[in-house]
Amino acid sequence: MMRRRDRPLACVLAALFAALPISPALAAAPLSANDAAIWLQRMSDAARSVAYEGVFVVQHGSAMQTHSILNRPAGAAQAERESRIATMDGTQREVRCTQSGSVSRVTEGGQVRMEKRLNSRHFPDLLPPNAAALASWYGVRLGNLARVAGLECRQVEIVPKDAYRWGYVLCADKDSGLPLKAVMVNEAGTPLMQYAFAEIRIGSPSRVDAQSGWTMPELPAAMRPINAEAVNIRSLPPGFSRITAVKRTLPNKPGEVEHWVFSDGLTHISLFLEPATHPIETIRGQSKQGMINMVKRQVGPMQATILGDAPWAAIEAIAMGLEARGEPR
Amino acid sequence: MKTTVKSMTMQTQSEHEAARASEGRTEILSALIDGELSDDQARQAIKQIGHGDSDRASLAEYIAIGDAMRGLSAQHGDFTRRVMAALENEPVLLAPAPERKKSERRPVLWLAAATAAAITWGLWQSSPRDEAIAPLAAVQQPGMQNVEAMPYLAAHEDFAQAVISAPEMRFSKASLEVRQ
């Protein structure tokens, strides 16, 4: 199956985000938990199992970036799947994800820097492999048919059931279920971040290695396991669990830190722990549109930095739930 | 500089007290300037102003303060004179608004704020440029720089969905009340 709509990119870009803000009129009755799970799983599977090649745009506040993307599922159960994303404007950056891992390659000032990534999440592969489980924490509402990158798609609203996560409005390709557009929204429905394909070809990509100039290198692991934990977390927001806890170095920062990640499958919150070299003042940080929240505080002998693209309530709950091991309860 | 700031604060306080003492009159004047009085109320207020020299002076002062806040500080005398003249002849110019519930009215506290703003404005205009900037810089203590947060944001990006450059963050001091 080959479908293609060639349009001058500029025209498409101008029209891309014109349909916003998300109209509340699309709000239909929420699906049953069962149907919600089916829709979530369908969109999640499509992002991994469908072959596609295209160009998508990310908009966050006043920043906008264009990426080319290629997804090539191969082998039994997509075991040899490979996806590549490359920035088309700004700093030259490419991310490659295979079954064995994810590597980013940044070319800046004539220098090439390769880094191993801990995760391979990216648009349109936003939903977790077991997306059906999200139905416990998010409701799903089907909206109208819309048109993105020349293809008809169904609007699917993913509405958080509490204040600990942001919502999404996706537009899933009518035939394949692949998300062609994703908008992260706050509790008022205001877009925080938007992704949308400007051009997409669904089917087998024709030029498999056309943009390949490098092969995925064997990089030393960016992290190692934690042996003793200095900090304990008493409680987490509902639905969240710790999915990662490693020791690693941070880009442009000397020394090792512990990096923990909490997630409900869709929302991810990072906790960084490092020895406090001096008394740490509690600092709150927020990105301009409020999408990313952050807090830095001292926990016993450690400095804790909690941040994520999650509402303040979730960041705060995690920050408040931390205690030094051995501290009285 | 320190004493200047202190005396400014004291002056603001005394102005504030004065404003509270004559709250009733002030409120009417404020509502009149804002065009929040009904026809009848406006007519009555204007009649009273016409009889009282002190009210006239206050009104002129408030209009001047309003001008200063809107950045019309230079030569506001002329504008004030024109308003006062218009007031005498054509009260309708003030475009009285339909009567509103008291609770909908803006609190009269803005007058105190206006007074402070006007004083600050005056100080800044008369002080050298560098000094005028200093207090502003002192107020903005982020406690953390964007560059300091960048490594954490970049590391978190492994789990965020986008391959977008790290966003600009705003920082403020906070106090977490940790209940054990």
Side-chain angles (χ1 to χ4, degrees):
Chain A
M1 170 177 54
M2 300 280 274
R3 286 177 286 162
R4 183 162 193 135
R5 301 286 189 280
D6 281 318
R7 296 268 189 287
L9 190 57
C11 282
V12 180
L13 290 189
L16 256 182
F17 300 117
L20 296 159
I22 305 303
S23 103
L26 83 115
L31 296 179
S32 71
N34 199 29
D35 288 348
I38 290 169
W39 265 93
L40 290 167
Q41 198 59 53
R42 181 171 175 243
M43 293 188 292
S44 168
D45 290 345
R48 278 179 295 276
S49 62
V50 172
Y52 53 87
E53 190 180 359
V55 171
F56 72 87
V57 179
V58 187
Q59 191 199 26
H60 174 229
S62 55
M64 193 160 105
Q65 215 169 22
T66 312
H67 303 257
S68 69
I69 185 166
L70 177 147
N71 186 59
R72 190 175 48 148
Q78 291 93 50
E80 291 152 47
R81 167 182 180 240
E82 184 184 12
S83 62
R84 293 178 197 174
I85 312 165
T87 56
M88 296 176 75
D89 42 29
T91 306
Q92 225 180 309
R93 193 175 160 180
E94 189 175 338
V95 172
R96 279 195 196 183
C97 310
T98 63
Q99 282 311 108
S100 62
S102 174
V103 171
S104 82
R105 183 183 193 260
V106 182
T107 312
E108 211 165 3
Q111 296 224 311
V112 177
R113 199 174 70 242
M114 294 233 203
E115 272 161 20
K116 204 155 187 147
R117 300 176 85 231
L118 295 191
N119 196 284
S120 57
R121 230 172 140 235
H122 58 76
F123 176 79
D125 186 4
L126 298 176
L127 300 170
N130 60 336
L134 290 176
S136 308
W137 313 107
Y138 299 85
V140 175
R141 282 199 290 246
L142 294 187
N144 300 325
L145 280 176
R147 197 162 159 268
V148 174
L151 300 179
E152 254 196 310
C153 55
R154 170 71 64 188
Q155 301 230 45
V156 183
E157 230 182 321
I158 302 180
V159 188
K161 292 182 176 176
D162 57 28
Y164 296 111
R165 41 217 122 215
W166 297 134
Y168 285 83
V169 180
L170 305 178
C171 206
D173 178 41
K174 214 174 133 204
D175 296 332
S176 66
L178 180 73
L180 301 178
K181 180 170 177 173
V183 184
M184 189 195 262
V185 294
N186 67 9
E187 65 285 352
T190 309
L192 298 170
M193 185 144 183
Q194 309 185 40
Y195 312 82
F197 275 106
E199 187 184 84
I200 186 167
R201 182 168 60 181
I202 296 177
S204 300
S206 51
R207 299 158 291 120
V208 167
D209 277 329
Q211 43 185 292
S212 175
W214 54 287
T215 48
M216 198 146 139
E218 284 297 316
L219 288 180
M223 67 292 186
R224 56 193 180 85
I226 292 168
N227 36 27
E229 293 177 3
V231 167
N232 180 40
I233 181 139
R234 276 195 311 271
S235 64
L236 285 169
F240 281 81
S241 62
R242 193 171 79 169
I243 59 163
T244 300
V246 292
K247 278 205 168 191
R248 63 175 292 178
T249 54
L250 300 185
N252 303 317
K253 195 175 193 300
E256 259 190 342
V257 302
E258 279 184 27
H259 185 180
W260 299 9
V261 180
F262 306 100
S263 178
D264 66 353
L266 194 52
T267 304
H268 291 73
I269 297 171
S270 284
L271 161 67
F272 299 95
L273 291 166
E274 61 207 284
T277 50
H278 54 89
I280 306 296
E281 265 184 313
T282 302
I283 303 284
R284 179 185 171 172
Q286 193 172 45
S287 64
K288 263 186 192 163
Q289 286 74 30
M291 179 183 91
I292 297 174
N293 283 288
M294 173 170 181
V295 70
K296 182 176 83 172
R297 63 166 293 216
Q298 185 164 348
V299 182
M302 308 295 277
Q303 171 185 317
T305 308
I306 303 104
L307 75 95
D309 29 7
W312 170 245
I315 304 295
E316 188 189 33
I318 290 175
M320 301 286 268
L322 294 174
E323 67 185 3
R325 274 194 190 276
E327 229 178 42
R329 268 162 200 261
Chain B
M1 195 63 206
K2 193 140 196 168
T3 44
T4 323
V5 172
K6 197 176 172 189
S7 68
M8 194 176 84
T9 316
M10 285 170 62
Q11 197 173 351
T12 308
Q13 270 177 352
S14 65
E15 290 280 358
H16 183 64
E17 275 162 20
R20 269 172 51 180
S22 59
E23 194 169 316
R25 305 285 321 137
T26 310
E27 191 171 358
I28 289 169
L29 291 181
S30 139
L32 180 64
I33 295 167
D34 287 348
E36 286 179 340
L37 295 183
S38 70
D39 266 344
D40 280 353
Q41 287 171 324
R43 229 171 270 130
Q44 190 157 9
I46 289 161
K47 207 185 279 174
Q48 282 171 350
I49 291 165
H51 292 160
D53 278 351
S54 72
D55 278 347
R56 280 177 95 109
S58 302
L59 185 61
E61 199 181 311
Y62 293 150
I63 292 172
I65 290 166
D67 288 353
M69 286 185 78
R70 284 184 292 271
L72 301 169
S73 59
Q75 300 180 329
H76 55 68
D78 188 46
F79 177 64
T80 311
R81 255 199 308 282
R82 278 190 286 121
V83 172
M84 297 306 281
L87 225 164
E88 229 148 280
N89 304 323
E90 288 184 73
V92 187
L93 268 184
L94 286 163
E99 193 160 7
R100 288 195 224 166
K101 279 188 214 145
K102 198 176 165 89
S103 61
E104 284 175 357
R105 291 263 297 277
R106 268 190 290 163
V108 74
L109 263 176
W110 74 266
L111 267 179
T115 313
I119 290 166
T120 314
W121 189 284
L123 278 177
W124 284 2
Q125 279 187 335
S126 61
S127 61
R129 200 180 151 71
D130 284 355
E131 273 187 25
I133 288 165
L136 262 181
V139 170
Q140 293 173 344
Q141 280 182 345
M144 190 168 186
Q145 300 295 319
N146 218 41
V147 63
E148 201 187 326
M150 217 44 97
Y152 302 103
L153 286 163
H156 175 72
E157 219 178 69
D158 287 2
F159 295 88
Q161 320 87 332
V163 195
I164 201 166
S165 37
E168 193 184 318
M169 302 282 288
R170 290 173 180 169
F171 298 100
S172 56
K173 288 187 186 175
S175 72
L176 286 181
E177 204 182 297
V178 183
R179 286 175 291 271
Q180 294 288 344

